[in-house]
Amino acid sequence: MSYLFTSESVSEGHPDKVSDAISDGVLDAIFKQDPEARVACETFVTTGLVVVGGEVSTTAYIDVETVVRDTIRKIGYTKAEYKFDSESCGVLNALHSQSPDIAMGVDTGGAGDQGIMFGYACDQTPELMPMPIVYAHKLVKKLADIRKKKNSPMPYLRPDSKSQVTVEYDENHKPVRVDAVVVSTQHDAKVKQSKIKKDIIEQVVKKVIPSKYIDANTKYFVNPTGRFEIGGPHGDSGLTGRKIIVDTYGGWAPHGGGAFSGKDPSKVDRSATYAARHIAKNVVAAKLASECLVQVAYAIGVAEPVSIFIDTKGSGVISDEEISNMIKKEVDLTPAGIIKRLNLKQPIYQLTSSYGHFGRKEKSFSWEQLDLVPTFKKYISK
C-alpha cells in the first residue's frame, strides 16, 4: 500500500535561522582564536533587535556586534523597509562565563551534557538521506541563490522563505513521485501573486526536483495565503535551536532533545549527532543495510556512551547486534575521539546553520565522508 510523507525546510532568512547563523557565527569567531574554547551561545531576534546570550569559556576576544551585523548583512537583511536590517538593529550582548560545575566533567574528557542523539541514513537519494527533506532544502537554497544573483530573474524576492515537499512511496517504501510542493517566499509589495507562482514553479521547483518525480497530478502551493510581504524577524521572532527537525531528517527519523547551533563540539548534542550520522551513512554506503538508525546516549561528565542502539528496519545483511558490536569495536565514540576523528575544533559551523546539517557536499562537513566504508565492508563476510 502506498503512502505519503512530508518534510519542510526554511531559508537562511527565516528568523529562527537568522538566530542559528548568529550563534554559529559567534562560535566560529571564537574558534578562529581559541580552538579549545567552550561555547553555548543562544540568540533571539525580533523587530530591530538582536539579543545574544549564553555561556563561554575562552581566551579569545571577539566583537559580538560585528559578528551579528556581518551575519545579518550576508543573509540579506540590508534595507530599512524590512524593519530588521544589519545597520540599524540593536545588539545586546549577554554572554557570560561557563559554569565550573560543567567544566569539572568536560575538562577530563567527559560529555558536556547528558542526552540521547540519533543518526540516520538510507538509500533513497545519492545523499543517503530521505527524499522529502533533500528536496525541501534544495528548494529554499535555490531561492536564496536566485535572490543573491547580481541580475536576478526574480528581483522581488526577500530573504524569508519556507518549503514543504510531499513524496509518495510504494509498498516497498521506495519513493515514486512528488505529490505536493509548498513554497512560501517573502516578496516586495508590488509584484503580483500570479507572477510569483509562475516563477517559483519554472525557476525553482522544476530546476530542483527531477522531472521523473513530477507528473500531471503533482500539486503546487505557492504563497497559499496570497501575500507574504512582511517576514523575517519583523514578521515573527526567532530563536536559536527551534528548527531541529529541519536541521536533521525532516521527521523521517527521530531527533534527540538537543539543538546544534551555537554549541562547541564538547556538547554531545552536536558532536555525537554528527558522529551517529557518520556511522549510519557509512553502514549504508558499505551495503551493510539499505537504511540505518543509530542512537547513542551519554551521561554528563562520562566519556563513553551509556548505550548504543542500531535499527536497520530488517534491511541489514548482518544482524543489528553485529553492527552494534562492530561500531563498539571500530569507532571511538568518546567526545574526544569524535572531535579528533571528525576534526571538529574548527570555525566551520556557520555554514551548517541553514539547509541542513546532513547530506551536504561541503568539504568541511567531515561527518559526511565515507572513510569507514572499507572497515565496515570487512564485516559482510564475517
Side-chain angles (χ1 to χ4, degrees):
M1 183 177 179
S2 65
Y3 60 93
L4 303 176
F5 191 88
T6 304
S7 294
E8 72 158 348
S9 184
V10 298
S11 74
E12 63 204 61
H14 185 282
D16 292 332
K17 283 296 159 195
V18 173
S19 297
D20 284 344
I22 292 171
S23 294
D24 276 333
V26 169
L27 172 61
D28 282 354
I30 291 173
F31 261 14
K32 286 177 183 177
Q33 299 180 38
D34 180 12
E36 301 304 318
R38 305 272 167 68
V39 181
C41 177
E42 311 284 346
T43 302
F44 167 78
V45 297
T46 189
T47 304
L49 179 65
V50 178
V51 180
V52 180
E55 300 79 45
V56 176
S57 177
T58 182
T59 59
Y61 171 78
I62 66 164
D63 186 336
V64 172
E65 182 176 341
T66 296
V67 172
V68 169
R69 297 194 189 283
D70 287 348
T71 300
I72 295 169
R73 189 180 302 113
K74 183 179 178 182
I75 289 170
Y77 286 110
T78 56
K79 299 179 181 179
E81 64 190 278
Y82 296 161
K83 303 293 194 298
F84 180 86
D85 71 274
S86 58
E87 306 311 309
S88 68
C89 68
V91 179
L92 298 180
N93 178 4
L95 292 169
H96 59 86
S97 60
Q98 185 187 52
S99 165
D101 294 346
I102 296 174
M104 284 174 59
V106 179
D107 288 346
T108 58
D113 201 354
Q114 71 173 53
I116 58 172
M117 298 85 205
F118 290 94
Y120 179 79
C122 61
D123 61 3
Q124 291 181 27
T125 62
E127 294 87 354
L128 301 184
M129 289 282 288
M131 184 177 287
I133 191 64
V134 168
Y135 289 136
H137 284 322
K138 288 184 177 182
L139 288 173
V140 284
K141 180 64 166 63
K142 184 70 172 178
L143 271 172
D145 291 344
I146 291 173
R147 173 173 56 85
K148 293 178 179 181
K149 281 185 177 179
K150 188 174 182 180
N151 297 307
S152 173
M154 301 169 69
Y156 53 81
L157 291 174
R158 292 182 177 183
D160 195 358
S161 63
K162 301 178 75 173
S163 67
Q164 193 169 279
V165 176
T166 302
V167 174
E168 181 179 338
Y169 290 81
D170 64 19
E171 62 276 7
N172 296 314
H173 311 294
K174 300 298 181 183
V176 293
R177 58 182 292 274
V178 170
D179 185 73
V181 178
V182 182
V183 178
S184 295
T185 183
Q186 187 185 12
H187 57 81
D188 290 345
K190 295 181 180 180
V191 64
K192 293 182 178 180
Q193 167 67 10
S194 57
K195 177 169 177 56
I196 296 173
K197 184 171 184 178
K198 180 182 178 182
D199 286 350
I200 291 292
I201 293 173
E202 296 300 322
Q203 300 279 350
V204 181
V205 177
K206 291 186 177 179
K207 296 291 179 66
V208 166
I209 300 177
S211 58
K212 66 180 179 179
Y213 292 120
I214 296 176
D215 57 31
N217 295 318
T218 299
K219 300 178 284 291
Y220 302 99
F221 302 91
V222 177
N223 285 6
T225 68
R227 183 181 179 86
F228 187 6
E229 182 183 346
I230 299 172
H234 178 53
D236 191 11
S237 61
L239 194 65
T240 299
R242 207 157 56 178
K243 286 290 178 287
I244 58 177
I245 299 303
V246 170
D247 286 341
T248 52
Y249 307 102
W252 185 274
H255 191 293
F260 307 146
S261 288
K263 296 178 181 178
D264 76 87
S266 73
K267 281 77 175 173
V268 283
D269 281 342
R270 183 167 221 161
S271 56
T273 302
Y274 290 177
R277 162 63 180 175
H278 183 220
I279 291 167
K281 184 176 182 181
N282 278 264
V283 166
V284 173
K287 307 296 184 183
L288 284 171
S290 60
E291 66 175 311
C292 182
L293 176 69
V294 179
Q295 186 208 53
V296 289
Y298 291 84
I300 188 168
V302 179
E304 293 288 347
V306 299
S307 70
I308 300 172
F309 169 77
I310 302 296
D311 185 4
T312 62
K313 311 295 182 182
S315 70
V317 298
I318 61 176
S319 71
D320 293 350
E321 182 182 7
E322 288 174 294
I323 294 176
S324 179
N325 291 334
M326 173 191 74
I327 292 166
K328 292 173 185 176
K329 180 180 178 181
E330 301 291 350
V331 184
D332 184 349
L333 283 171
T334 64
I338 293 169
I339 290 167
K340 181 179 180 181
R341 183 173 68 257
L342 299 181
N343 198 17
L344 296 179
K345 289 185 177 181
Q346 298 186 82
I348 59 173
Y349 295 104
Q350 194 172 64
L351 191 60
T352 71
S353 64
S354 296
Y355 314 118
H357 292 244
F358 309 123
R360 305 269 293 272
K361 294 182 179 180
E362 285 83 352
K363 189 176 181 180
S364 59
F365 286 48
S366 56
W367 49 94
E368 292 295 312
Q369 63 192 0
L370 297 176
D371 55 315
L372 296 177
V373 168
T375 298
F376 287 0
K377 276 187 173 180
K378 294 176 183 177
Y379 286 79
I380 294 177
S381 59
K382 286 189 176 182

